[in-house]
Amino acid sequence: MNIFRLAGDVSHLVAILILLMKIWRSKSCAGISGRSQVLFALVFTTRYLDLFTVYISAYNTVMKVVFLALSYATVYLIYMRFRNSYDSENDTFRVEFLLIPVIGLSFLENYAFTPLEILWTFSIFLESVAIMPQLFMITKTGEAESITTHYLFFLGLYRALYIANWVWRYHTEGFYDQIAIVSGVVQTIFYCDFFYLYVTRGEEIRTPS
Amino acid sequence: SDNESGKDEL
């Protein structure tokens, strides 16, 4: 554990909590892509199956359970509790265009051809593109509330901090995880355009129409 | 560290 990794995990947790609290307090999920949130729940589910097979640390176990619980709570709020406010007309990104290539790639490129490893690889690849329905929705409607942009900022910051963590680990431990690093860099690149808008235009984002 | 199972990152 190093400071970049810890800051990355905290940033990830903050992002998820910002979104959950926004929906809970406003009793509305307007402007939020339910499809992205289902994909993130799928990411956590397929990645954290090792909760049942290996014990790493109390921190690791607790964080995994928290991420799983919060992601399912978010999906529940969007599709059940506050479904009247769900903007399904603008949440139209075709997720099969993400899922099919990601499933194919995880069978081709993995560390071992076993169910758990393939599912782990699937989760890493899927995470790198899971935000696309949300970014698509913002492009389609041309706007995002400031609280939604804070969510995206912390979510992008999380993977950027993980890159620093990987650089650190490579230099101090000689450790590197090629699949995670390549996917993490791709994932972070998707946020660059957003980061630019966030910094230059301030919180509330309107895309040029 | 090996890459299979027991990954310590989240």
Side-chain angles (χ1 to χ4, degrees):
Chain A
M1 178 68 78
N2 56 67
I3 188 69
F4 303 110
R5 164 73 201 285
L6 185 63
D9 288 346
V10 169
S11 173
H12 197 181
L13 191 60
V14 166
I16 292 169
L17 286 172
I18 284 175
L19 185 69
L20 197 61
M21 293 311 291
K22 169 204 151 59
I23 297 172
W24 183 254
R25 287 196 179 160
S26 65
K27 301 192 189 325
S28 163
C29 56
I32 302 301
S33 167
R35 294 184 179 204
S36 274
Q37 295 310 312
V38 169
L39 292 182
F40 282 123
L42 189 58
V43 163
F44 289 133
T45 308
T46 50
R47 188 173 309 168
Y48 297 161
L49 289 171
D50 65 356
L51 272 173
F52 300 104
T53 59
V54 281
Y55 176 79
I56 294 156
S57 66
Y59 173 82
N60 189 279
T61 301
V62 169
M63 290 297 270
K64 282 175 175 171
V65 171
V66 167
F67 282 145
L68 276 166
L70 294 179
S71 71
Y72 277 95
T74 306
V75 168
Y76 165 76
L77 291 187
I78 295 172
Y79 286 101
M80 308 285 276
R81 184 130 183 172
F82 302 126
R83 69 171 178 273
N84 292 337
S85 62
Y86 171 51
D87 186 6
S88 59
E89 284 186 9
N90 284 313
D91 191 16
T92 52
F93 190 93
R94 301 275 296 271
V95 292
E96 59 270 35
F97 291 157
L98 301 178
L99 286 172
I100 291 166
V102 161
I103 291 168
L105 270 180
S106 55
F107 275 91
L108 287 173
E109 186 68 49
N110 50 57
Y111 292 132
F113 204 77
T114 60
L116 271 185
E117 280 301 315
I118 292 169
L119 285 167
W120 178 86
T121 311
F122 167 82
S123 84
I124 293 286
F125 289 155
L126 182 61
E127 186 188 347
S128 68
V129 293
I131 200 60
M132 290 182 84
Q134 180 66 63
L135 296 176
F136 174 77
M137 196 173 176
I138 292 173
T139 308
K140 197 175 176 190
T141 60
E143 60 188 1
E145 280 180 66
S146 65
I147 194 85
T148 308
T149 67
H150 296 325
Y151 162 70
L152 286 168
F153 174 77
F154 281 102
L155 203 57
L157 180 64
Y158 136 67
R159 222 42 173 172
L161 284 164
Y162 256 70
I163 294 175
N165 158 58
W166 292 323
V167 171
W168 179 267
R169 289 192 70 175
Y170 181 71
H171 283 287
T172 56
E173 304 166 35
F175 170 88
Y176 72 97
D177 180 330
Q178 201 177 320
I179 289 176
I181 291 170
V182 173
S183 310
V185 170
V186 169
Q187 185 174 341
T188 308
I189 290 170
F190 283 128
Y191 289 85
C192 285
D193 183 44
F194 165 78
F195 279 142
Y196 176 76
L197 289 172
Y198 186 82
V199 171
T200 56
R201 303 212 185 160
E203 302 164 346
E204 208 151 328
I205 282 181
R206 281 172 210 286
T207 54
S209 49
Chain B
S1 335
D2 83 26
N3 278 319
E4 288 175 45
S5 313
K7 298 177 177 72
D8 64 340
E9 291 180 350
L10 297 166

